[in-house]
Amino acid sequence: MTTRTTTTPTGTSGESRIDSARQFMEGTARVLERRQLEVFLDDAPVEPVLDALRPYRNPDGGFGHALEPDVRCPGSQPSAALTALGVLAEIGATNDPMVTATADWVASVARSDSGVAQVLPSALGHPRTPWMEPKDESSFLTFAIAGRLHQLGVEHPWLDAATAWSWRELESQKEAGGYTVVFGLQFLDAVPDPDRAAAAIDRLRPAIRPDGTVPVPGGIEGEHIKPLELSPRPETPSRALFTPAQIDADLERLESEQLDDGGWDFHFLHWMPAQSTEWRGIVTLDALHILREHGRL
């Protein structure tokens, strides 16, 4: 059983925080996140990350097999494509063939309006979290997938159509909330149209509560999205939504949430042991990235 600590598990230095996190990752995380950690901390080659990512691919060019831990089906899913593109972007694998192949697969499952569903019917009959139900409509994942492809510098016909879809959706939103804000900001931080993005970001401002958080309708009791989850990188357009005091307070919160096993936990439903373990590896890696990019490691 893990408990929360008010200081780092073995002290307050960045070195001890990293050592503790490394122990957690080596003992708990998937091979994929462990390889990513080696690139992040040790400047290791990126090829082992690509080797760890490939087993999640399917012959159709998409990704499945619980690469995104909330949908535990073998078939290719949009959320898994988003996770794969995030991995490829993080290690700078912009020219890897998996990037274009993933865009091709997303295009093949896009709806007539060019958006993509949150969950495809191939998930039926397989374990998945309660919010991962197939629906015949385009979803906010379109924002995030388009944002990742922009981040990777991809040129693709689907990306052009998805970008147009994203602008239409974001500029017509009247009361955006929850993960629409999260994924919308991921798109707006990456799309190469800074003036239009800045205006769209400002329209999302009413969704932000005074403490910088966004509530999650339908989530677990008190579930909310925190400033560093909405804007994890400094010097990005989304940072305009937050004051320096809000970011500093959230950095303190993030530091304080490292557990005595060296890892971080997540704040949404812990639905089954494998899902929880896999997400903890992902959010621990994310926490280290955020702290380093803000000079806290």
Side-chain angles (χ1 to χ4, degrees):
M1 180 178 179
T2 57
T3 57
R4 296 196 180 284
T5 58
T6 54
T7 61
T8 56
T10 56
T12 57
S13 73
E15 184 176 354
S16 63
R17 188 185 297 282
I18 289 172
D19 288 346
S20 181
R22 191 194 294 270
Q23 288 294 311
F24 169 78
M25 295 291 281
E26 290 180 352
T28 304
R30 300 186 294 196
V31 171
L32 176 60
E33 282 78 32
R34 290 163 62 181
R35 295 302 193 203
Q36 289 177 264
L37 186 75
E38 291 167 357
V39 173
F40 175 60
L41 293 180
D42 306 325
D43 292 325
V46 301
E47 284 75 14
V49 176
L50 299 173
D51 290 341
L53 182 61
R54 287 190 187 96
Y56 293 96
R57 282 191 86 197
N58 285 313
D60 61 10
F63 290 83
H65 308 283
L67 176 59
E68 202 276 19
D70 291 341
V71 185
R72 312 192 68 78
C73 71
S76 298
Q77 289 289 330
S79 58
L82 174 60
T83 299
L85 292 172
V87 171
L88 293 165
E90 180 197 310
I91 62 173
T94 56
N95 295 320
D96 189 274
M98 285 190 282
V99 174
T100 300
T102 304
D104 289 341
W105 177 81
V106 173
S108 74
V109 300
R111 292 169 43 78
S112 60
D113 64 359
S114 300
V116 294
Q118 183 180 0
V119 186
L120 297 177
S122 63
L124 291 171
H126 298 280
R128 59 194 186 279
T129 51
W131 55 88
M132 286 295 194
E133 285 297 321
K135 294 180 181 177
D136 189 25
E137 60 187 34
S138 297
S139 78
F140 46 35
L141 284 185
T142 311
F143 303 141
I145 293 172
R148 288 298 186 198
L149 290 173
H150 280 300
Q151 185 181 0
L152 285 157
V154 170
E155 294 184 2
H156 194 282
W158 179 79
L159 180 57
D160 295 339
T163 299
W165 183 92
S166 297
W167 283 125
R168 286 196 303 273
E169 288 293 313
L170 288 169
E171 292 177 343
S172 64
Q173 292 277 338
K174 297 189 182 303
E175 295 183 358
Y179 280 87
T180 296
V181 180
V182 175
F183 295 134
L185 289 176
Q186 290 180 15
F187 169 78
L188 295 167
D189 274 346
V191 67
D193 193 340
D195 292 338
R196 193 173 179 180
I201 287 169
D202 199 54
R203 280 192 289 274
L204 294 174
R205 190 176 296 279
I208 312 295
R209 298 189 294 198
D211 63 355
T213 66
V214 172
V216 179
I220 60 175
E221 184 177 357
E223 184 177 339
H224 58 275
I225 307 162
K226 299 162 181 62
L228 291 168
E229 295 167 337
L230 294 159
S231 182
R233 305 283 183 263
E235 310 299 332
T236 51
S238 60
R239 197 48 67 90
L241 292 173
F242 306 97
T243 66
Q246 287 172 330
I247 295 299
D248 286 344
D250 209 37
L251 286 167
E252 296 289 337
R253 185 272 306 167
L254 186 61
E255 288 179 324
S256 74
E257 290 185 350
Q258 188 175 20
L259 302 178
D260 60 1
D261 64 7
W264 275 260
D265 206 348
F266 56 99
H267 301 279
F268 48 89
L269 181 65
H270 290 57
W271 164 73
M272 68 182 303
Q275 174 249 13
S276 301
T277 298
E278 291 167 1
W279 270 120
R280 287 202 63 202
I282 294 170
V283 299
T284 295
L285 187 60
D286 287 344
L288 294 173
H289 274 285
I290 290 170
L291 291 175
R292 175 172 285 182
E293 292 197 23
H294 289 82
R296 299 291 186 118
L297 287 180

